[in-house]
Amino acid sequence: NRLMNEIILELYRQNYAISNLAPFSESFYRRYGYENAIYEKMYKLNPAYLRFFKSVKEGKIVRGKWKDSDLKEAVIKLYQDKLNQNNQRNTVDREDWWWDRLDTYYPGRFICVYFDKNNQPAGYMFYRIRDREFRVKELYYKTPQAAKALLSIIASHSSSDLKYYVKMPESSLLGEFFPEQEGLKVQILPYMMTRIINVEQVLEALHLINTGKIKIEITDDEIVAENNGTWEIDQINKETKVRKTEKDPHYSGSLTNWTKVLLGHLTLKQAVRLGFIKEHHLVDNDFIKGEVSFYDYF
């Protein structure tokens, strides 16, 4: 208990905005302000459904290992291009040492990169085959052609003896590429928990759907007292201004419940309807949060 309190206060002093962790117990970490905010979508593919995906006729697919410098460069470029779109939330900005560490953590991984007709990388996939399971740990595509090309690689390993799993971000629409979907098993699974360390930093990083002000009250942060209170968020064009106020809030809720809204997948209206957030005065506004593309484990 002392260690958790000390760590969170030290993170606040060092000006960190958030903390993520993989919980051994959700209820345990919720005591320290963590809440489920990062989910993954897991597809279990019926081997018979892989017949829909044939070898590509346009562009090419190159398969190899992380030590292959051309593939490594292509994967990092695609990942960084995604980050630079400025629509990512809580997605890890991977440094070179982190990429290498991931390869050490998951030995035996193969990489597939799809290059389009202009020889530009348009999608990549990491996968392993172990214990009669074909598991895609990470898959990203910029175009429909890239998605189908990567699925064709899975199809090239088609076997009734294998079980096929593809891990994707929660917002993934990969299943839409299957002409028949009844045999797909899709699960949304909690993955990482998030703790807001510095409320002001998080609010400043977010944008509102509509121009205007919204006042939210945050309660029950028993470790970082500075996070508690009423915060006024003022959206002026594309600039967000945040300040503490003594005015009555439009909405109230605990730090963990606000985490569901600010960094999780709930909209403000959904959180009110579910009873997580109390609405004092209706405001026609909500937070733009971007999309989570989180494959990392630590």
Side-chain angles (χ1 to χ4, degrees), residues 66-297:
W66 188 245
K67 63 183 180 181
D68 300 335
S69 58
D70 289 344
L71 293 183
K72 181 176 180 177
E73 181 181 338
V75 168
I76 292 177
K77 182 182 185 304
L78 285 167
Y79 188 90
Q80 200 61 42
D81 285 349
K82 177 173 60 175
L83 278 180
N84 292 341
Q85 293 171 5
N86 293 324
N87 68 343
Q88 294 295 303
R89 173 177 94 253
N90 225 338
T91 302
V92 177
D93 190 357
R94 295 169 173 166
E95 298 183 26
D96 288 345
W97 69 267
W98 184 256
W99 281 105
D100 294 336
R101 179 258 181 204
L102 287 174
D103 192 59
T104 302
Y105 195 85
Y106 298 106
R109 292 195 312 173
F110 288 99
I111 308 172
C112 288
V113 178
Y114 170 70
F115 294 87
D116 63 21
K117 62 181 180 181
N118 298 315
N119 204 34
Q120 294 300 307
Y124 71 84
M125 176 174 73
F126 289 101
Y127 72 90
R128 291 197 297 177
I129 303 175
R130 303 182 77 179
D131 301 323
R132 308 309 300 165
E133 293 182 347
F134 187 110
R135 287 193 174 269
V136 176
K137 294 290 187 178
E138 184 168 337
L139 189 155
Y140 171 67
Y141 55 89
K142 294 177 69 174
T143 65
Q145 180 65 24
K148 294 175 184 177
L150 294 171
L151 286 169
S152 75
I153 290 296
I154 303 176
S156 70
H157 293 80
S158 180
S159 168
S160 59
D161 293 332
L162 289 176
K163 295 180 180 179
Y164 296 85
Y165 300 90
V166 180
K167 180 172 126 173
M168 296 289 291
E170 184 185 6
S171 59
S172 166
L173 298 175
L174 188 70
E176 298 301 319
F177 291 109
F178 287 79
E180 295 183 24
Q181 299 181 19
E182 185 179 0
L184 296 179
K185 294 184 179 179
V186 185
Q187 289 181 289
I188 303 294
L189 303 171
Y191 188 44
M192 287 274 181
M193 297 184 81
T194 298
R195 211 274 189 200
I196 295 178
I197 301 295
N198 189 311
V199 165
E200 185 173 9
Q201 279 195 51
V202 170
L203 293 176
E204 287 176 342
L206 297 176
H207 293 288
L208 297 172
I209 293 174
N210 301 317
T211 298
K213 296 180 180 180
I214 183 171
K215 297 187 290 294
I216 68 171
E217 182 185 25
I218 294 178
T219 64
D220 301 321
D221 191 338
E222 298 179 358
I223 301 176
V224 184
E226 291 86 348
N227 287 332
N228 294 319
T230 300
W231 297 88
E232 181 180 86
I233 304 103
D234 190 3
Q235 181 82 33
I236 304 172
N237 296 323
K238 293 184 178 181
E239 184 179 0
T240 304
K241 293 187 176 181
V242 177
R243 68 182 184 90
K244 277 271 186 85
T245 180
E246 297 297 324
K247 297 178 182 178
D248 292 335
H250 298 119
Y251 299 91
S252 298
S254 66
L255 179 77
T256 51
N257 284 339
W258 275 114
T259 303
K260 297 174 186 285
V261 175
L262 300 176
L263 296 176
H265 54 200
L266 291 185
T267 66
L268 182 53
K269 289 182 179 179
Q270 288 172 333
V272 170
R273 191 161 59 245
L274 291 168
F276 294 129
I277 300 296
K278 184 176 181 179
E279 182 180 83
H280 304 289
H281 305 285
L282 175 63
V283 176
D284 184 21
N285 220 333
D286 208 334
F287 296 92
I288 300 174
K289 297 179 289 188
E291 129 186 337
V292 176
S293 301
F294 200 106
Y295 305 95
D296 301 71
Y297 182 85

